[in-house]
């Protein structure tokens, strides 16, 4: 007998699949289609176990659906633009393009041995000119439809590196490379009008029944619908042109608890005052030093400056409130101005305390009296409270009721109007970076900012750039910016901003349907393949990537690149759990942990050590990460055990939505099991022909396995499918049937295992005389007759005498048996209409009826 040798087997079958073109997706009107997609990877250079789990899940679905008769699309590509490539160029020299394509080649080389059923002919990277040129064409189409616009917006500016930083490059208010305090700067930038779709993106979440509830909730919160009141204060001592101050509030019921008004440092009034008042100028400059992220603003100390302007309370013109310029008011939300109610907003409370402003409560807990507060009182809006400074409705009511009444009341008094606001901001896509898709617009002295003519696309990134000085290399390229205006033909300059890399990943799923089309998509292919039937990826993309993709699908519909049926591009979403591992550490001389790689650790009965005997502390089981060194390299696992072991293991121990712990012993056990399947197959192959009998139990077990594994895979319960396969393997190991029956059962096992361990499955299939490739064989069907459970025959006694019997499934519930007894012909005849007083079913034994 030959041992199980995955290295040889796996390569051979991968070549066979490739030769037969098994995974080439073809539009086939005679078959239903199935599009399964895993979130495409960033080409960092190495695949990790998280990738293995993610892609194996998609592969199980893709292979299963193909066997079940679907025309399957299962593509792979690379999310290839972005800062790490530029950082690598800055730190180690070299070119972002070379670095990226080198990494792609490496990762493709690591992925192929996994034996994924991918249509590699559709592969592309978002940094391919062929791809981003089409993205530029769409940008121009979107400009035409009014989905793109330019405005000033603040960015994080690193004054030492003289460069714009992304929010994630600002760490504790400092530039990640220079360590310099980051400032806010205003630049003219490009925006996508995602806010046009806020309501629709929110409402359509309800229809995404096959998305995790958690993801829908996260999206809803991000879109952040709120209903409130917008109204104008009239001002006192304000500069000309500022006689009204518009504010937005979600708590108009607290208007009588107002103690100040506040405006953003970027509010037009603040801007105006800044020009005439050095104190304001100094304060506003201070505020701009905080980064632009909400998080940075959240963390910063709340500070304000009295502007000297005052406003009149809308319900009492003698009551004046000071207007502060405050660092916590955002220009981009509502109207950029608020009124503060310190009694019921913690931020306002801190502010009022700091600046000695009054804190009048509007409501108190039911059954209590008004008293001084030590912090803001912020009950749930659904909780009834007693209003002491209310102005609409009953004294005791919930906040929610009071807000609605307050809006109605204010409207009736001509104080503002009810408005719906969304937290979702327009999507700023400008990046002052080289390694991204150039924004296809041109700056002309005469015509202004105009889109590039489509026939001049793609606007290719120049290769001859340097990264020795900070800033955007496109800005300092000697000639790249020079162009002619497509409008007037005069000399003009290209835009040097590139697009946020989230743009690249917002439509790649559509491009996969026609990856080499000379338009962004192609109507027939998009019509046939869209939507993605099953999308699989990490929960970390639950908000931005999925929201941007949903917006893009709508924008692509509006610009004629996707059908209306594809505006929700992902029918079903699955968010997989992570691969975890124990952590190992030795101690440094001063007692700090020094993380150790699992491959360097030896486990003994008494504990763990390094190979030289140094004791190792075994720490908690956490997500594999480079920083804690608790990583296992998939390439090492494949080299040692083969891809099938890696694939089986990551699917086996936990439900796919949960984390799975990688253990060396688990991998070992998986490899052993697969070896046993191999040996069993060999043994059956060597059985003499025509010996032994049929085996009814084996046949039943086989159909049961077909039924259960199919169900489990359909329900994304891959771990359950695997548990059933272990069970069926054990049945086969013990079975004593003849060769024909054994071979049939073994072929079925191979088919059922094939989505998980496709190489071993092909081998077994071939050994057992299966025709063609198991990857192309039709999925087996369970025969309903073979699934009937064991039955029992129960005697029926009526008033102590045997009057008949009934045959039912052995595990049938007593209540079900009772129904069958009452419907039994012999019983009906005997009862002749007399009512039954009592019935006792003794499971497996007897039924007693009393009349
Ligand atoms: C008065 C008030 C009283 C408020 C109170 C809250 C509690 P959501 O619910 O998230 O939409 N606000 C409005 N515009 C703002 C801006 N540009 N920057 C910072 N804060 C702003 O938040 C709406 C509430 O956030 C508004 O309701 C306003 O404060 C504040 F007891 O008005 B409120
Ligand atoms: Zn021009």
């Amino acid at each position: 007998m030959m041992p199980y040798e995955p290295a040889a087997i796996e390569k051979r079958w991968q070549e066979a699949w490739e030769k037969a073109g098994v995974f080439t997706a073809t539009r086939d009107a005679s078959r239903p289609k199935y599009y399964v997609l895993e979130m495409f990877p960033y080409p960092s250079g190495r695949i990790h176990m998280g990738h293995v789990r993610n892609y194996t899940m998609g592969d199980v679905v893709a292979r299963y659906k193909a066997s079940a008769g679907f025309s399957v699309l299962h593509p792979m590509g690379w999310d290839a633009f972005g800062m790490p490539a530029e950082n690598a160029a800055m730190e180690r020299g070299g070119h972002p393009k070379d670095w990226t394509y080198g990494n792609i080649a490496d990762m493709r080389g690591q992925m192929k041995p996994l034996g994924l059923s991918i249509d590699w002919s559709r592969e592309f990277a978002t940094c391919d000119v062929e791809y981003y040129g089409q993205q530029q064409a769409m940008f121009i189409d979107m400009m035409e439809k009014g989905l793109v616009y330019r405005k000033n917006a603040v960015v994080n500016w690193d004054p030492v590196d003289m460069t714009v930083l992304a929010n994630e490059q600002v760490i504790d208010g400092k530039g990640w490379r220079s360590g310099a305090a980051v400032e806010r700067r205003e630049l003219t930038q490009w925006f996508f009008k995602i806010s046009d779709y806020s309501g629709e993106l929110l409402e359509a979440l309800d229809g995404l029944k096959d998305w995790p509830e958690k993801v829908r909730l996260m999206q809803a919160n991000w879109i952040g619908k709120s209903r409130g009141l917008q109204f104008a204060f009239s001002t006192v001592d304000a500069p000309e042109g500022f006689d009204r101050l518009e504010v937005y509030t979600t708590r108009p019921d607290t208007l009588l608890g107002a103690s100040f008004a506040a405006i953003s440092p970027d509010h037009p009034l603040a801007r105006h005052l800044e020009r005439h008042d050095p104190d304001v100028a100094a304060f506003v400059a201070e505020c701009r030093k905080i980064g632009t992220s909400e998080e940075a603003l959240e963390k910063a100390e709340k500070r304000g400056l009295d502007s000297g302007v005052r406003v009149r309370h809308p319900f009492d013109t003698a009551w004046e409130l000071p207007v502060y310029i405050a660092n916590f008011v955002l220009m981009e939300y509502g109207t950029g101005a608020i009124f503060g109610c310190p009694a019921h907003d913690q931020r306002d409370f801190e502010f009022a305390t700091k600046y000695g402003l009054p804190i009048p409560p509007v409501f108190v807990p039911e059954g209590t009296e008004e008293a001084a507060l030590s912090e803001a009182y912020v009950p749930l809006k659904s909780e009834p409270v007693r209003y002491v400074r209310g102005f609409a409705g009953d004294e005791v009511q919930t906040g929610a009721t009071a807000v609605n009444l307050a809006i109605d009341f204010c409207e009736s008094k001509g104080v503002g109007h009810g408005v719906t606001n969304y937290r979702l901001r327009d999507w700023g896509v400008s990046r002052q970076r080289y390694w991204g898709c150039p924004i296809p617009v041109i700056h002309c002295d005469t015509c202004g900012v105009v889109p590039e003519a489509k026939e001049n696309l793609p606007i290719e990134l120049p290769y001859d750039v340097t990264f020795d000085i900070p800033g955007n290399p496109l800005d300092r390229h000697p000639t790249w910016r020079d162009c002619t205006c497509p409008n007037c033909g005069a000399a003009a300059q290209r835009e040097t901003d590139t697009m946020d890399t989230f743009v690249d990943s917002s439509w790649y799923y559509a491009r996969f349907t026609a990856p080499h089309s000379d338009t962004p998509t192609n109507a027939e292919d998009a019509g046939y393949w869209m939507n993605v039937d099953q999308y699989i990826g990490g929960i970390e993309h639950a908000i931005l990537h999925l929201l941007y993709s949903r917006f893009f699908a709508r924008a692509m519909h509006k610009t004629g690149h996707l059908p209306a049926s594809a505006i929700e591009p992902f029918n079903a979403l699955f968010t997989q759990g992570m691969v975890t591992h124990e952590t190992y550490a030795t101690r440094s001389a001063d007692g700090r942990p020094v993380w150790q790689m699992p491959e360097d650790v030896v486990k003994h009965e008494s504990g763990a050590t390094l190979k030289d005997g140094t004791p190792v502390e075994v720490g908690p089981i956490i997500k594999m990460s480079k920083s804690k060194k608790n990583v296992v390299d998939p390439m090492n696992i494949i080299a040692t055990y083969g891809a099938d072991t890696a694939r089986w293991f990551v699917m086996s121990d936990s439900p796919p939505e949960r984390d799975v712990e990688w253990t060396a012993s688990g991998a070992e056990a998986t490899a052993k099991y697969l070896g046993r399947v191999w040996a069993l197959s060999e043994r059956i192959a060597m059985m003499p022909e025509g010996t032994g009998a049929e085996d009814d139990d084996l046949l039943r077990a086989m159909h049961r396995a077909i039924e259960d594994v199919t169900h489990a895979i359909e329900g994304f319960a891959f771990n359950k499918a695997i548990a059933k396969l272990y069970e069926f393997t054990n049945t086969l190991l013990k079975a004593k049937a003849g060769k024909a029956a054994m071979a049939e059962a073994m072929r079925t096992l191979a088919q059922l295992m094939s989505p998980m361990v496709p190489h071993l499955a092909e081998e077994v299939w071939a050994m057992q005389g299966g025709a063609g490739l198991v990857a192309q064989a039709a999925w087996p069907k369970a025969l309903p007759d073979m699934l009937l459970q064991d039955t029992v025959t129960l005697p029926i006694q009526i008033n102590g005498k045997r009057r008949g019997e009934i045959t039912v499934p052995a595990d049938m519930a007593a209540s079900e048996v009772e129904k069958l007894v009452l419907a039994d012909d012999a019983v009906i005849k005997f009862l002749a209409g007399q009512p039954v007083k009592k019935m006792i079913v003794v499971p497996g034994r007897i039924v007693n009826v009393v009349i």
Side-chain angles (χ1 to χ4, degrees), residues 308-528:
V309 176
R310 274 155 293 126
V311 291
R312 291 200 180 90
H313 197 282
F315 294 151
D316 176 359
T317 48
W319 180 4
E320 290 184 0
L321 303 170
V323 177
Y324 280 78
I325 301 168
N327 65 353
F328 60 81
V329 183
L330 305 163
M331 194 53 221
E332 294 80 33
Y333 188 61
T335 62
I338 63 158
F339 79 81
C341 174
H344 304 298
D345 182 285
Q346 189 56 26
R347 193 178 58 186
D348 294 351
F349 184 90
E350 284 161 26
F351 193 82
T353 308
K354 184 163 178 181
Y355 295 105
L357 299 162
I359 307 180
V362 175
F363 44 77
V364 295
E366 235 188 307
T368 66
E369 294 300 315
E370 187 174 335
L373 295 167
S374 59
E375 57 177 8
Y377 171 50
V378 190
L380 288 177
K381 263 186 170 174
S382 55
E383 202 176 300
V385 290
R386 187 167 76 85
Y387 278 77
V388 293
R389 280 184 187 78
F391 57 87
D394 297 334
E395 198 176 287
V396 173
Q397 56 190 330
T398 66
T401 315
V403 167
N404 286 332
L405 289 171
I407 292 174
D408 294 347
F409 179 84
C410 289
E411 280 181 343
S412 74
K413 296 278 175 225
V415 176
H417 52 277
V419 290
T420 298
N421 245 308
Y422 295 93
R423 194 152 271 285
L424 183 63
R425 303 274 65 89
D426 276 337
W427 177 9
V429 295
S430 286
R431 296 292 179 272
Q432 293 69 37
R433 291 278 158 202
Y434 166 75
W435 194 231
C437 170
I439 293 179
V441 298
I442 277 156
H443 300 258
C444 168
D445 284 342
T446 321
C447 313
V449 184
V450 292
E452 175 60 286
K454 275 208 181 156
E455 60 268 26
N456 295 337
L457 297 183
I459 300 167
E460 239 180 282
L461 284 171
Y463 183 80
D464 55 336
V465 286
T466 52
F467 295 87
D468 43 356
I469 359 180
N472 183 352
L474 294 177
D475 280 328
R476 50 174 195 267
H477 191 281
T479 54
W480 185 77
R481 302 184 65 171
D482 301 335
C483 62
T484 45
C485 171
N487 245 15
C488 69
Q493 298 254 287
R494 291 199 184 290
E495 170 73 65
T496 57
D497 281 357
T498 54
M499 290 182 215
D500 179 4
T501 56
F502 270 117
V503 180
D504 314 336
S505 54
S506 293
W507 71 286
Y508 76 110
Y509 53 85
R511 183 71 182 167
F512 274 136
T513 65
H516 306 300
S517 166
D518 56 7
T519 45
T521 57
N522 149 322
E524 269 138 45
D525 287 306
Y528 180 79

Side-chain angles (χ1 to χ4, degrees), residues 600-717:
D600 297 330
V601 173
V602 190
K603 290 215 167 177
H604 316 277
E605 292 269 292
S606 53
T609 65
L610 293 184
K611 281 164 193 148
D612 66 5
T614 313
V616 165
E617 288 169 40
V618 178
I621 300 153
I622 54 173
K623 178 189 173 183
M624 284 189 181
S625 86
K626 279 191 204 131
S627 64
K628 295 274 159 53
K629 290 202 178 167
N630 61 336
V631 290
V632 173
D633 188 334
M635 300 323 288
N636 291 345
I637 297 299
I638 294 174
T640 314
Y641 299 114
D644 281 343
T645 289
R647 295 173 58 115
W648 184 271
F649 186 94
V650 291
M651 297 287 95
S652 65
D653 265 4
S654 328
E657 65 276 16
R658 295 242 206 92
D659 293 351
V660 63
E661 187 198 351
W662 184 278
T663 62
S665 56
E668 182 90 13
T670 298
K672 267 205 188 116
Y673 162 72
L674 298 181
R676 266 205 304 280
V677 172
W678 163 273
L680 171 65
S681 177
E682 273 204 321
R683 199 186 85 208
I684 295 172
M686 287 186 310
M687 280 167 75
E689 298 289 339
T691 52
E694 286 284 308
D695 179 339
D696 221 36
D697 285 343
L698 181 61
L699 211 56
R700 278 180 196 286
M702 183 179 98
H703 284 277
R704 176 55 45 209
I706 295 172
E707 177 73 5
D708 292 349
V709 171
T710 307
H711 246 93
I713 292 179
E714 291 266 5
F716 249 79

